[in-house]
Amino acid sequence: MANELSAEKWKTQLLRMTVFPLRDFAPPTDSWWVALTGQDSDSKTSRPKKGEYEEEGNFESTRLILKIEPSRIDWVMRPLEVDDKEEPVFPVLGEFSKNIDGFQQLMLRWLSMDVCPPVKRLAVGATLIQPVHDRIAGYKRLLEYLPSIKDINPEETSDFLYQINRPRKSLHMPGLKINRLSKWSALSFQFVALDPSIAVTMTTHEAFACRVELDINTAKEFSEELGKEMIPSLLKELVSLGMEISLRGDIP
């Protein structure tokens, strides 16, 4: 299994929960961000004509963002911005298994609030990376998670992108299908510095990683409201399916 072969664990670059309300609605007059965190945010942006609202701020060593549109609500957690270092690294929140647990608890708290509108669809997303030594190591690591890919030579491959959806039936709600979308890739990132004396940017460091983007969501074909009493179980199920992919890779 991939988790047995890989010494390194997935690191979190982004976590997201998306709620699709049963019906379109206008942004709230009170701050959901403050109600959830118990503290003031750093910024608020409102676009009344479009029915859009955004609020964000630092929260427990992360950057927490709330985005509201008439047809969807997104809660996003990202790493804090950090000053340049002598040896730059990919910005991450930390270990996925730990980050997702805290994020799940935070989202369950908001979902239980009276301000949460009736829900017709629910989604959990994550962007995860595993740093590696070079491009070839990145492809070798990816192939450990992709048993269905047989004809790729890591030493001769470039620009690889593999995306697949492997739906499953929900264990908690009869008739509900859950989409398990994963997108796999290898990436390199160049850190650059500006020499003001000659006004030229120079590459100071290059880092490599394999990446998976997860989008675990309840299928739009399900026409019934996701009852408030079922939401906690469904959220936990989505998180569990995302964790399974991160540990076992692309399996049916």
Side-chain angles (χ1 to χ4, degrees), residues 117-231:
V119 178
K120 66 178 180 181
R121 291 185 65 199
L122 188 66
V124 170
T127 301
L128 313 175
I129 65 167
Q130 283 196 36
V132 293
H133 296 302
D134 54 31
R135 181 185 63 83
I136 294 175
Y139 282 106
K140 289 181 177 179
R141 181 65 54 79
L142 277 179
L143 292 178
E144 296 176 358
Y145 289 91
L146 303 174
S148 62
I149 305 297
K150 304 295 184 181
D151 57 350
I152 288 181
N153 184 340
E155 297 184 1
E156 299 178 357
T157 299
S158 64
D159 303 311
F160 175 81
L161 178 63
Y162 177 77
Q163 178 175 311
I164 192 167
N165 180 24
R166 295 190 183 274
R168 282 191 188 167
K169 295 179 180 179
S170 172
L171 298 176
H172 295 93
M173 182 169 287
L176 176 64
K177 182 177 70 176
I178 296 178
N179 294 313
R180 300 164 59 241
L181 183 66
S182 61
K183 184 188 298 184
W184 306 80
S185 60
L187 64 116
S188 63
F189 190 86
Q190 292 185 341
F191 300 89
V192 298
L194 175 65
D195 187 337
S197 64
I198 56 177
V200 174
T201 58
M202 299 177 296
T203 299
T204 61
H205 180 75
E206 188 171 18
F208 301 86
C210 53
R211 174 170 62 187
V212 60
E213 300 173 55
L214 303 176
D215 187 354
I216 317 298
N217 61 83
T218 59
K220 63 181 180 181
E221 293 83 4
F222 190 80
S223 58
E224 301 177 23
E225 177 185 350
L226 303 179
K228 205 171 184 68
E229 73 283 353
M230 291 298 300
I231 291 293

